[in-house]
Amino acid sequence: MLNQPDATVVKTYLMELQDRICVALRETDGGAGFREEVWQRPGGGGGRTRIMQDGAVFERGGINFSHVFGDRLPPSASANRPELAGRAFEAMGVSLVVHPRNPYVPTSHLNVRFFIAEKPDAEPVWWFGGGFDLTPYYGFEEDVRHWHRTARAACEPFGADRYPCYKAWCDQYFFLKHRNEPRGVGGLFFDDLNEGGFEHSFAFMRSVAEHYLPAYLPIVNRRWARPYGDDEREFQKIRRGRYVEFNLVYDRGTLFGLQSGGRTESILMSLPPEVSWRYDHQPSPGSPEAELYDVYLKPRDWLADEEPTTEADGAVPGEDTRTPGQVS
């Protein structure tokens, strides 16, 4: 059992996680591959940025591994822990955002990270954080239930209270206060996790990371070939604007990266390639676009009528089995 925090073993896992997710997304897309850039941070550390653009299924997918360190924690990392201000730090993580081309396929986000802050003659302070969340443009209840069912399965081995706690935290965190609306339908969010010791917390972070693909890819397979038109595409671009607003105004990872002198292109890889802002846009009452606001962009217990299971289901009924390029 690992009794002391071990940044090396976390780094090895995160780099291997980035590799596996890239392979899975490339195979799902069937078209574009990933462009990789290895970068160095002048203040210490660096990372690997991998970007897929203009794929058959994914319009943009960015998967970033970073490992940075420095003499002082930036303000975004010590805002909730002022006693850590001024400590040397080491931070590493994998962060990804996938923006599909088809408006009926949701955008998804995953982030898992590890921080350790140290100073002479004191015990190191460390924690894990992360989670995943889903941002649909058109609502399908079976997709949202599958997403949350898989999120719950990631948490179940660690206690019955984990899913409702981290689901509620996700709803609270991914909320645009200036719009008074959530970014999407949520998922999991956790931070400052060191409960139960290093090995236990590391295992939870890994469980969240390992459940991302089973949560997301069945939804992609079900929706990517659904026909759409200009109106659906325009609504997708408008809703993508909300994504930009959240990432630039509220997202802790973006703020940490910019404040710690990280690589700007890698930090902003999460932004969608095409976005629209329309003044006071209001969807027509009773439309599928209005349904997104009326039904899906509201915090809700999506699994209230379901019993917990020991593992997530691996597919969504009725998934499309055509390969990319077969869309009529």
Side-chain angles (χ1 to χ4, degrees):
M1 178 176 289
L2 297 172
N3 295 316
Q4 296 297 321
D6 187 338
T8 301
V9 72
V10 178
K11 180 177 179 179
T12 299
Y13 171 77
L14 291 172
M15 295 182 75
E16 186 263 344
L17 175 70
Q18 184 193 35
D19 289 340
R20 287 190 287 113
I21 292 177
C22 286
V23 169
L25 292 179
R26 184 175 65 243
E27 291 177 350
T28 299
D29 185 84
F34 282 92
R35 168 187 173 185
E36 178 180 276
E37 292 185 324
V38 177
W39 52 274
Q40 299 295 321
R41 174 178 171 268
R48 302 188 305 196
T49 295
R50 292 176 181 170
I51 295 289
M52 174 192 293
Q53 297 195 112
D54 299 322
V57 175
F58 303 121
E59 191 170 7
R60 172 179 289 169
I63 306 178
N64 192 43
F65 165 78
S66 62
H67 176 210
V68 300
F69 44 86
D71 294 332
R72 287 179 176 270
L73 275 167
S76 63
S78 58
N80 295 327
R81 304 279 291 272
E83 72 276 13
L84 300 181
R87 284 192 176 223
F89 75 95
E90 189 172 358
M92 61 188 71
V94 166
S95 181
L96 72 88
V97 177
V98 178
H99 293 290
R101 183 176 303 279
N102 191 315
Y104 291 109
V105 183
T107 285
S108 70
H109 161 254
L110 165 73
N111 174 259
V112 285
R113 57 190 179 271
F114 175 66
F115 284 85
I116 184 166
E118 300 177 278
K119 68 177 181 179
D121 303 319
E123 286 292 314
V125 178
W126 57 268
W127 62 88
F128 290 93
F132 52 62
D133 70 290
L134 193 70
T135 306
Y137 306 99
Y138 290 88
F140 298 94
E141 184 163 334
E142 61 266 44
D143 294 354
V144 181
R145 282 179 176 267
H146 169 77
W147 179 262
H148 279 279
R149 197 178 299 124
T150 312
R152 183 176 63 187
C155 298
E156 281 175 352
F158 301 88
D161 61 328
R162 288 292 180 103
Y163 168 71
C165 175
Y166 294 150
K167 188 266 186 194
W169 199 350
C170 187
D171 289 339
Q172 180 183 38
Y173 178 73
F174 291 105
F175 190 84
L176 288 84
K177 299 178 182 67
H178 63 285
R179 298 280 189 182
N180 193 33
E181 67 184 43
R183 186 169 84 171
V185 296
L188 300 172
F189 180 87
F190 67 99
D191 206 358
D192 300 321
L193 178 67
N194 56 20
E195 178 184 346
F198 176 80
E199 183 170 339
H200 183 80
S201 298
F202 184 28
F204 180 77
M205 186 208 77
R206 295 198 309 270
S207 184
V208 171
E210 297 300 329
H211 280 79
Y212 166 73
L213 289 175
Y216 187 50
L217 292 187
I219 298 172
V220 175
N221 289 333
R222 181 177 174 88
R223 305 293 172 197
W224 73 266
R226 185 184 177 103
Y228 65 90
D230 293 342
D231 291 344
E232 290 82 6
R233 177 67 169 168
E234 180 61 19
F235 184 65
Q236 178 195 45
K237 292 180 182 180
I238 291 170
R239 290 300 310 169
R240 281 176 170 180
R242 304 290 209 268
Y243 208 92
V244 173
E245 290 173 19
F246 180 88
N247 279 27
L248 295 184
V249 176
Y250 300 113
D251 185 72
R252 292 181 189 174
T254 301
L255 296 176
F256 174 83
L258 294 174
Q259 291 176 1
S260 63
R263 183 172 181 268
T264 302
E265 287 298 314
S266 299
I267 296 165
L268 300 182
M269 70 174 188
S270 63
L271 302 183
E274 294 189 24
V275 186
S276 293
W277 277 273
R278 294 289 181 264
Y279 180 79
D280 196 26
H281 174 268
Q282 301 292 331
S284 301
S287 66
E289 292 79 11
E291 183 184 34
L292 180 74
Y293 292 91
D294 296 340
V295 176
Y296 292 91
L297 296 184
K298 296 181 183 299
R300 169 180 162 189
D301 184 353
W302 292 95
L303 306 178
D305 58 346
E306 294 187 13
E307 291 294 328
T309 58
T310 56
E311 60 183 89
D313 57 346
V316 177
E319 63 182 65
D320 197 306
T321 58
R322 289 176 290 173
T323 57
Q326 290 182 306
V327 183
S328 57

